């Protein structure tokens, strides 16, 4: 876990609990006492927490920023975090990055926050997070906000020709040797509209979503349309082999 991610999680933790002791930081984040003290000092200087004796407290009167994912409410959180960190390393300065909805995609956006890249998204929680954290270039794809899925759906098909990116990162319900399947049909169709406008498609899914077949959902894209797959080392080896045989670069974390 890098420093930015750790600091974000520390702030989320103190906002939830009200106060966090130094010993809790050391235990929760597997860091040394010296690192914990440095984290506290930096977060206090940035005005994100208040430093007190033996710990930190939240800033009273400031509403915590809601995020759709944390270590307490998300399955395979740590694996998804590793995937996001590795995916962020693909991106270079001044590139346009398309990030779609999903917990892993949100973590990727969080990793890229503050870096010199333009992030294009229709995922409302990610857009809000980036704006709240003063990311320089956030492009929100226009359309109708769908509260159920937390995405912005584009009612005009050809408007997506206005967007283009070096990378498009997406996830889904299941990845099989046939392709990537998604459960949210409206969201999948919205993503397909921009798929032809990007140079590289990267699928970021945790290992539990790699399977021999999909039991539900629609086929978002066949495997041969995927450039890179980033997933966990516990992924089904047989399926991974089939995906590699179709020309996909596979990165295991």
């Amino acid at each position: 876990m890098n420093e930015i991610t750790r600091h974000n999680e520390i702030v989320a933790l103190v906002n939830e609990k009200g106060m966090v002791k130094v010993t809790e930081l050391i235990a929760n984040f597997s860091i040394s006492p010296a690192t914990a003290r440095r984290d506290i000092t930096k977060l206090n200087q940035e005005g994100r927490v208040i430093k007190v004796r033996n710990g930190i407290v939240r800033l009273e009167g400031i509403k915590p920023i809601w995020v759709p994912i944390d270590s307490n409410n998300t399955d395979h959180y740590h694996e998804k975090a590793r995937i996001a960190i590795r995916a962020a390393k693909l991106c270079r300065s001044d590139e346009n990055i398309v990030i779609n909805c999903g917990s892993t995609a949100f973590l990727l956006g969080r990793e890229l926050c503050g870096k010199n890249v333009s992030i294009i998204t229709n995922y409302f929680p990610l857009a809000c997070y980036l704006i709240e954290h003063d990311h320089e270039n956030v492009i929100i794809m226009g359309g109708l906000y769908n509260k159920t899925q937390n995405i912005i759906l584009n009612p005009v098909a050809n408007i997506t020709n206005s967007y283009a990116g070096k990378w498009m990162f997406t996830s889904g319900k299941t990845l099989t040797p046939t392709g990537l399947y998604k459960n949210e049909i409206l969201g999948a169709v919205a993503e397909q509209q921009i798929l032809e406008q990007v140079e590289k498609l990267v699928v970021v899914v945790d290992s539990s979503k790699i399977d021999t077949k999909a039991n539900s959902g629609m086929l978002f894209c066949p495997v041969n349309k995927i450039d890179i797959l980033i997933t966990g080392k516990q992924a089904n080896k047989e399926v991974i082999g089939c995906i590699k045989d179709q020309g996909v670069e596979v990165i295991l974390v």
Side-chain angles (χ1 to χ4, degrees):
M1 181 184 299
N2 64 19
E3 184 181 90
I4 293 175
T5 301
R6 187 174 68 251
H7 284 184
N8 288 335
E9 292 191 21
I10 290 173
V11 173
L13 183 63
V14 74
N15 283 337
E16 176 187 344
K17 298 184 66 175
M19 178 180 180
V20 178
K21 295 181 179 180
V22 175
T23 52
E24 292 179 82
L25 294 179
I26 294 170
N28 286 0
F29 298 97
S30 300
I31 55 177
S32 67
T35 299
R37 288 192 293 270
R38 285 196 298 269
D39 286 347
I40 288 173
T41 299
K42 188 169 184 179
L43 290 171
N44 180 71
Q45 290 172 345
E46 292 174 351
R48 301 177 68 185
V49 303
I50 298 175
K51 182 179 179 181
V52 296
R53 182 178 176 83
N54 296 325
I56 51 176
V57 297
R58 68 176 170 223
L59 300 174
E60 295 300 334
I62 297 179
K63 183 180 179 180
I65 298 171
W66 176 85
V67 294
I69 177 172
D70 62 44
S71 58
N72 295 318
N73 68 14
T74 305
D75 293 334
H76 309 285
Y77 175 86
H78 295 292
E79 182 178 286
K80 290 178 179 180
R82 292 196 303 272
I83 291 169
I85 291 169
R86 182 62 182 86
K89 291 180 180 179
L90 297 174
C91 305
R92 299 290 179 263
S93 292
D94 298 318
E95 290 182 337
N96 288 351
I97 315 298
V98 179
I99 303 178
N100 296 310
C101 64
S103 55
T104 307
F106 180 88
L107 285 172
L108 170 59
R110 201 166 71 175
E111 285 294 320
L112 292 173
C113 184
K115 294 181 170 56
N116 185 29
V117 295
S118 295
I119 298 178
I120 304 169
T121 187
N122 67 342
Y123 191 34
F124 195 62
L126 175 57
C128 291
Y129 179 89
L130 294 170
I131 293 168
E132 290 281 358
H133 286 76
D134 297 322
H135 186 73
E136 188 69 24
N137 297 303
V138 183
I139 302 170
I140 304 173
M141 288 184 275
L144 174 69
Y145 173 61
N146 182 290
K147 184 177 180 181
T148 303
Q149 298 180 36
N150 271 316
I151 61 173
I152 300 169
L153 298 172
N154 180 9
V156 183
N158 61 7
I159 198 173
T160 52
N161 293 332
S162 304
Y163 308 109
K166 167 72 175 181
W167 303 96
M168 177 173 173
F169 294 90
T170 193
S171 55
K173 178 67 175 177
T174 312
L175 179 63
T176 75
T178 300
L180 178 65
Y181 290 80
K182 292 176 178 281
N183 269 0
E184 302 293 350
I185 307 302
L186 291 177
V189 171
E191 291 181 34
Q192 286 177 332
Q193 292 175 9
I194 199 173
L195 190 55
E196 298 303 320
Q197 310 301 318
V198 298
E199 294 182 36
K200 299 285 186 179
L201 175 62
V202 183
V203 172
V204 287
V205 292
D206 66 77
S207 57
S208 70
K209 296 179 180 177
I210 307 293
D211 208 343
T212 54
K213 63 179 182 179
N215 295 320
S216 62
M218 67 166 281
L219 179 63
F220 172 73
C221 71
V223 162
N224 60 16
K225 291 289 186 181
I226 300 170
D227 294 290
I228 300 174
L229 163 65
I230 306 178
T231 188
K233 293 180 180 179
Q234 304 304 315
N236 185 304
K237 291 181 173 55
E238 180 182 349
V239 176
I240 291 296
C242 291
I243 292 172
K244 284 182 177 179
D245 290 342
Q246 297 181 65
V248 179
E249 178 184 351
V250 177
I251 301 173
L252 302 177
V253 297

